[in-house]
Amino acid sequence: MTSCQGTNTTSFKTALGDVRTVFPGDADYPAASASYNLRFEVNPFAIAFPTDTQQVSIAIKAGAENNLRVVARSGGHSYIANSLGGKNGSFVVDLSQLKAITIDPVTFNADIETGNRLGDIDLALNEQGRGLPHGRCSFVGIGGHSGEFGGWGFPSRMWGLTLDNILSATVVLANGTVVTASEESHSDLFWGIRGASPSFGIVTSIKFHTHPIPSGGTHFALFWDMDIATATSTFASFQSFALSPSLPTTFGGEIGVLKGSAHGRVTILFFGSYFGSSDQAEFNRTVEPFLSGLPEPDVHLGSMLVSGTWVEVLEAAALPTGNLSTIGRKDSNDTFYAKSLMTPQDVPLTMEAIGDMMEYLGTTGFESDLFWAVEIELYGGVDSAVNAVPLNSTAFGHRNTLFTFQLYTSTLNSLPPFPNEAFGLVDGIVTSITSNMPDDWNFGAYPNYIDDRLQDWQRLYYGEHYSRLEKLKGSLDPSDVFQFPISIEEPDTPYIYF
């Protein structure tokens, strides 16, 4: 089943019943079908807006019975428009009407429907003194961010990935059956949805273990304009800092690299959040081993320190515009291409790899007319909660990660067209690193920064878990209803799922 040709629209609409659905030609269709990444223009066959799990079930059955590819859209932030099907003719089940958040007053476990955005979840949990680890983009949907492929954020070194905090989930399967997946029930499905959920079903609600929030913290963003040699030594020092046994898990941060002021220079950004208390002295003691070897940050480039409560720190870090609430606000779009690189903790980056990357960014990068950024996120370090989870506990395939690189380039006005030379710019950054590492270097890629040009994506995204994911796909969705670019493929011989 690879196309929607021959679908009887009349019978399809009848099967949908009362589920509100938008079709091409409807007034709402252009806005409903717009991609977050404007590099992609995708025309779905239809977009449904169910209001509860039962309506999701009705929608999936209607799509499957009419030979349509079915995809879920939680926040719609897929880098390659997978939440629109990734190619024309898919049936999108948009979850934006599923907004309930219920927090148990005794356990503080939270049932969160998957139409919720991260910023609104933060505000609801904060009212109960609770929190979750996740990224800082307020408009990202919890469904894709958590169950899809991971969910990293500044609190992750102390609390793990978003998916590590899932206790159970309500899942609608390809035949419309509604199940609760947990360690005790449908455990294989529970394993698979924590790392690859959109290939197996549509998750409508997730029960999370939440955490008592720290009393406060500090968000920081510190900038320097550096020559290539200084930038190289600075990042090498950050790698040593990240591997220090004295670095607490309450520190979450990254290094960013941006275009510098002149050829042969780059801008270095050190930013993140420290969670402990609003006493900035605690933050200062934590980062002093790294900052002591650097000049004073350049305030003219935007350096800042914000100390305050848990929610004030989240707001300071939040994108866009430092505002957590998404209610009544419009999401932003961009025209971009991104790649990722996950580096193993047991084989740190060599000085040659760091130096060649900075050389490339300070020369070839400076000459580019595009906006570009390299974000080097700290996953690992001693006692990191991300790497403490046993590899086979979830479908997430990288539990020995020190850094995840997000390599990003976009048009200056965030609008199409996107130039072909931009792909080569990003590919060159990756090559500058990998060509200076051992031939057997076991690096990976992060599927939340999904790349439609990535070769060997099965191994790079999922590692040794891919064959198990294939078997699970063959068992749960043998007709490949949930299909999109870089979805889990069907195996040659499905196994029996219990």
Side-chain angles (χ1 to χ4, degrees), residues 455-467:
Q455 302 298 308
D456 195 20
W457 60 267
Q458 297 90 337
R459 179 184 64 84
L460 290 172
Y461 283 146
Y462 299 105
E464 64 185 57
H465 291 157
Y466 192 74
S467 61

Side-chain angles (χ1 to χ4, degrees), residues 222-232 234 256-270 294-303 358 361-362 366 372:
L222 308 175
F223 290 84
W224 298 263
D225 185 75
M226 292 180 168
D227 61 51
I228 291 168
T230 305
T232 298
T234 295
V257 189
L258 302 160
K259 186 178 290 190
S261 61
H263 189 275
R265 300 186 71 84
V266 294
T267 297
I268 294 294
L269 166 61
F270 175 48
L294 299 177
E296 286 296 313
D298 190 336
V299 294
H300 300 293
L301 292 174
S303 295
M358 294 298 182
L361 295 173
F366 180 80
W372 56 263

Side-chain angles (χ1 to χ4, degrees), residues 449-481:
Y449 304 150
I450 197 162
D451 173 7
D452 59 322
R453 298 174 62 251
L454 186 63
Q455 302 298 308
D456 195 20
W457 60 267
Q458 297 90 337
R459 179 184 64 84
L460 290 172
Y461 283 146
Y462 299 105
E464 64 185 57
H465 291 157
Y466 192 74
S467 61
R468 180 176 173 183
L469 290 167
E470 279 187 309
K471 293 175 183 177
L472 189 61
K473 177 70 171 180
S475 172
L476 290 175
D477 185 16
S479 297
D480 205 13
V481 172

Side-chain angles (χ1 to χ4, degrees), residues 57-109:
S57 174
I58 291 169
I60 292 173
K61 286 191 288 186
E65 290 167 358
N66 285 274
N67 297 322
L68 293 168
R69 300 183 303 268
V70 180
V71 295
R73 179 167 66 181
S74 175
H77 278 247
S78 171
Y79 282 16
I80 61 171
N82 274 348
S83 52
L84 291 170
K87 51 188 174 181
N88 294 341
S90 294
F91 176 39
V92 177
V93 180
D94 183 288
L95 303 170
S96 59
Q97 303 305 301
L98 279 66
K99 293 286 196 183
I101 300 175
T102 305
I103 304 170
D104 187 288
V106 177
T107 65
F108 293 102
N109 295 334

Side-chain angles (χ1 to χ4, degrees), residues 121-331:
I121 293 169
D122 283 332
L123 293 173
L125 293 180
N126 183 68
E127 290 181 1
Q128 302 297 320
R130 310 297 289 190
L132 277 175
H134 59 68
R136 63 195 186 104
C137 295
S138 300
F139 279 94
V140 167
I142 189 66
H145 188 65
S146 61
E148 190 163 0
F149 302 124
W152 175 87
F154 293 142
S156 287
R157 294 186 66 250
M158 63 178 182
W159 290 344
L161 300 172
T162 312
L163 65 79
D164 295 330
N165 293 271
I166 297 176
L167 299 173
S168 66
T170 302
V171 188
V172 188
L173 303 179
N175 62 5
T177 301
V178 180
V179 301
T180 298
S182 67
E183 293 287 4
E184 294 76 31
S185 175
H186 303 280
S187 58
D188 270 5
L189 174 62
F190 185 57
W191 177 85
I193 63 170
R194 291 174 296 158
S197 70
S199 291
F200 305 117
I202 294 184
V203 178
T204 60
S205 182
I206 304 171
K207 183 186 291 294
F208 284 101
H209 167 71
T210 67
H211 300 264
I213 60 175
S215 60
T218 298
H219 177 67
F220 59 96
L222 308 175
F223 290 84
W224 298 263
D225 185 75
M226 292 180 168
D227 61 51
I228 291 168
T230 305
T232 298
S233 64
T234 295
F235 182 64
S237 296
F238 181 71
Q239 181 169 249
S240 298
F241 171 73
L243 291 168
S244 168
S246 62
L247 182 65
T249 60
T250 49
F251 171 87
E254 58 185 275
I255 290 289
V257 189
L258 302 160
K259 186 178 290 190
S261 61
H263 189 275
R265 300 186 71 84
V266 294
T267 297
I268 294 294
L269 166 61
F270 175 48
F271 73 115
S273 297
Y274 170 79
F275 305 103
S277 76
S278 57
D279 181 1
Q280 201 171 104
E282 287 189 16
F283 163 75
N284 292 338
R285 286 192 295 269
T286 299
V287 298
E288 192 275 336
F290 172 57
L291 294 183
S292 62
L294 299 177
E296 286 296 313
D298 190 336
V299 294
H300 300 293
L301 292 174
S303 295
M304 58 175 272
L305 288 173
V306 176
S307 295
T309 65
W310 161 259
V311 77
E312 287 171 339
V313 171
L314 296 185
E315 286 174 339
L319 291 174
T321 66
N323 190 340
L324 292 176
S325 175
T326 70
I327 297 172
R329 300 170 64 214
K330 188 180 183 301
D331 202 355

Side-chain angles (χ1 to χ4, degrees), residues 385-418:
V386 176
N387 291 345
V389 176
L391 176 62
N392 293 325
S393 294
T394 71
F396 183 77
H398 304 290
R399 297 293 184 177
N400 177 36
T401 298
L402 181 58
F403 298 122
T404 291
F405 285 66
Q406 178 173 203
L407 312 127
Y408 189 102
T409 184
S410 65
T411 56
L412 292 177
N413 62 359
S414 299
L415 297 173
F418 189 80

